[in-house]
Amino acid sequence: MTETKINTSRTENAKKILHEVYDPEIPVLSVLDLGVIRSIREVGEILEVDITPTYSACPAMKVIEMSVQAALDQAGLGPVKINTVLDPVWTTDWMSAEGKVKLLEYGIAPPQLSARIKNLSLGNTTISCPQCASTNTVCISEFGSTACKALYKCKDCLEPFDYFKCH
Ligand SMILES: [Zn+2]
């Protein structure tokens, strides 16, 4: 039988550490900004972390899981067990507001509508340019530098940019 106990300091410390663990694809976003960390709890002696991948096929996810594990181990918070939780699926709604600002400052247009609204409006979204905020933009490719992003181009400042797709 496993006993779940609440030890605030250990889980709080884990959160502090995870603020410094970044998405390998978007190095300004921490795993907490990204919203992939669903739960941190102690089960007996083990610190369990639930991670929901942004895309199950996203190759970055293995790297994220290993980085989370390594960072917590190094901080002396182990033993750590990572659980991959696929249900419910990750949505861009879980990305923190701070994360969306960091994404914009990094030059990637953040997901602009909640995935739920997008499903209703059938994807007729206007994406603003992260450089000049113009909405005069065009989608060049559904797949940008990674499958999670689409490639757009601004028709005003002529800069291409990535848009982090809602889903
Ligand atoms: Zn522009």
Side-chain angles (χ1 to χ4, degrees):
M1 210 181 111
T2 47
E3 171 206 352
T4 305
K5 69 178 172 186
I6 307 297
N7 179 339
T8 317
S9 61
R10 192 176 177 198
T11 50
E12 285 306 307
N13 282 342
K15 257 184 222 168
K16 271 181 218 147
I17 300 295
L18 295 182
H19 266 297
E20 308 291 323
V21 175
Y22 295 97
D23 178 357
E25 287 180 352
I26 309 165
V28 291
L29 288 189
S30 76
V31 290
L32 293 175
D33 290 327
L34 206 53
V36 297
I37 305 293
R38 301 316 299 164
S39 169
I40 305 170
R41 63 187 177 276
E42 282 192 292
V43 180
E45 292 306 305
I46 298 170
L47 188 69
E48 291 202 11
V49 181
D50 289 349
I51 298 184
T52 297
T54 51
Y55 277 79
S56 49
C58 208
M61 282 318 295
K62 262 283 138 218
V63 179
I64 287 179
E65 286 180 13
M66 288 188 304
S67 311
V68 166
Q69 173 104 43
L72 294 175
D73 277 338
Q74 267 174 30
L77 295 169
V80 176
K81 181 169 177 260
I82 307 287
N83 302 312
T84 305
V85 179
L86 297 174
D87 185 25
V89 293
W90 180 85
T91 148
T92 39
D93 291 353
W94 294 351
M95 196 182 278
S96 70
E98 197 191 343
K100 287 177 184 174
V101 172
K102 287 188 201 165
L103 205 56
L104 186 66
E105 286 169 350
Y106 187 59
I108 297 176
Q112 302 205 338
L113 287 174
S114 94
R116 248 168 290 131
I117 295 170
K118 192 200 162 211
N119 286 342
L120 293 175
S121 68
L122 297 172
N124 222 353
T125 320
T126 308
I127 309 301
S128 318
C129 170
Q131 313 295 336
C132 71
S134 163
T135 52
N136 189 13
T137 59
V138 61
C139 180
I140 300 172
S141 166
E142 275 301 312
F143 295 96
S145 53
T146 68
C148 316
K149 301 179 212 101
L151 186 63
Y152 273 72
K153 187 174 178 166
C154 176
K155 290 200 249 178
D156 286 337
C157 71
L158 304 178
E159 285 293 326
F161 63 91
D162 275 336
Y163 167 57
F164 200 104
K165 287 188 276 190
C166 293
H167 69 109

